[in-house]
């Protein structure tokens, strides 16, 4: 795809179990206009892929790595994406509070952050967070917020 679809703006690769880091790096390098990328349960996609899309796809607005074996070390690269609006990090087992807060601080256009099924994320008291919508220095609305101050975090 990377060699033949340089104008590609949206791709959904959920449960494409044979997608690898090598394929994702090629896709990122060949599709610099990518705005939406969604992966789900792609067990061969790791931090290397996250870094590649962050470095080569600066126009990304929607990114999802649900259930992929990425870690905080990879997710932190997404802070370079200045147009990022929606970030889906459901079921990322190696994600920590510090990385989440760094993403929130640096991704100024972020309007939705999905952290469901991340059991290592907790509240300020160190207790496990209950499922639901949590305010983290942001007001919560359903749907896409209209202003930068209205950003949604789903945990």
């Amino acid at each position: 795809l990377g060699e033949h679809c340089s104008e590609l703006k949206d791709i959904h690769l959920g449960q494409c179990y044979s997608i690898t880091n090598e394929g994702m790096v090629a896709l990122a390098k060949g599709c610099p206009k990518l705005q939406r990328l969604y992966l789900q349960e792609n067990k061969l996609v790791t931090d290397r892929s996250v870094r590649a899309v962050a470095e080569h796809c600066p126009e990304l607005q929607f990114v999802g790595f649900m259930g992929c074996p990425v870690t905080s070390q990879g997710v932190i690269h997404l802070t370079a994406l200045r147009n990022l609006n929606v970030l889906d990090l459901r079921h990322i087992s190696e994600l920590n509070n510090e990385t989440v807060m760094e993403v929130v601080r640096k991704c100024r256009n972020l309007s939705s952050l999905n952290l469901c099924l991340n059991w290592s994320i907790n509240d300020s008291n160190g207790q496990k967070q209950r499922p639901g919508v949590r305010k983290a220095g942001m007001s919560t609305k359903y749907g896409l917020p209209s202003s930068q101050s209205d950003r949604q975090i789903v945990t």
Side-chain angles (χ1 to χ4, degrees), residues 2-126:
E3 292 178 20
H4 303 289
C5 297
S6 62
E7 299 296 316
L8 189 68
K9 291 185 179 183
D10 190 332
I11 190 164
H12 189 293
L13 295 169
Q15 298 176 333
C16 293
Y17 300 115
S18 296
I19 299 293
T20 65
N21 283 327
E22 290 74 23
M24 287 303 302
V25 170
L27 179 75
K29 287 181 177 180
C31 302
K33 295 182 181 180
L34 205 58
Q35 294 176 358
R36 295 179 52 90
L37 171 66
Y38 185 76
L39 293 109
Q40 177 182 353
E41 303 296 331
N42 302 76
K43 299 302 182 191
L44 303 176
V45 172
T46 67
D47 291 342
R48 183 172 168 221
S49 295
V50 180
R51 183 176 180 179
V53 299
E55 288 178 358
H56 299 289
C57 303
E59 295 181 28
L60 276 168
Q61 298 172 14
F62 178 102
V63 176
F65 283 99
M66 179 190 170
C68 296
V70 300
T71 70
S72 284
Q73 294 172 342
V75 170
I76 202 70
H77 292 288
L78 298 176
T79 60
L81 299 173
R82 298 297 167 220
N83 296 319
L84 190 61
N85 291 57
V86 178
L87 183 56
D88 186 344
L89 297 174
R90 286 178 284 170
H91 205 266
I92 305 295
S93 61
E94 300 294 325
L95 187 63
N96 62 43
N97 289 350
E98 293 79 17
T99 300
V100 171
M101 293 313 298
E102 190 69 11
V103 167
V104 169
R105 278 191 291 273
K106 289 191 175 178
C107 295
R108 307 299 286 164
N109 291 317
L110 195 64
S111 62
S112 179
L113 174 60
N114 192 332
L115 299 172
C116 291
L117 301 172
N118 284 306
W119 306 117
S120 61
I121 302 298
N122 56 46
D123 62 15
S124 60
N125 295 327

